[in-house]
Amino acid sequence: MSVFPEIIRHVPQRDYGIEGLTVRVDHTSTGTVYFVSAEKEVHFPEHAHAEQWTIVVSGKCLLTMDGETRAYQQGDTYVIPGNKKHQITLCAGYAEVDYVDDPCDGEA
């Protein structure tokens, strides 16, 4: 069951091929909005992209940047600077909303 309301279920879903991960993506003229939820633990390897702002809707994640790992949980927000390498693990039951400062993020 999704933590997001029915209105978000109309946002197009993107398949990352990761079991238990649901990602809905909407592109605006200035950036990309993601609605992310994980039914089970999901590990994303180190990567970089445009600046990202995130608010944790439920659960917990572990974000590693510059060799430091921090835990974030419901109500927390964080910013990942543009082109900053980072790694993230989403714990089971996690959900977030992201805004990435790139209107074509994840395309191509």
Side-chain angles (χ1 to χ4, degrees), residues 44-90:
F44 287 96
E46 188 173 66
H47 62 285
H49 45 67
E51 185 171 9
Q52 174 182 326
W53 173 82
T54 297
I55 184 166
V56 179
V57 175
S58 67
K60 181 175 104 174
C61 72
L62 303 171
L63 175 66
T64 303
M65 286 190 293
D66 298 326
E68 180 182 346
T69 300
R70 294 192 59 190
Y72 293 92
Q73 54 193 354
Q74 185 176 12
D76 290 341
T77 66
Y78 59 85
V79 173
I80 300 171
N83 299 312
K84 179 73 151 178
K85 288 188 177 184
H86 61 283
Q87 181 280 317
I88 191 163
T89 299
L90 313 181

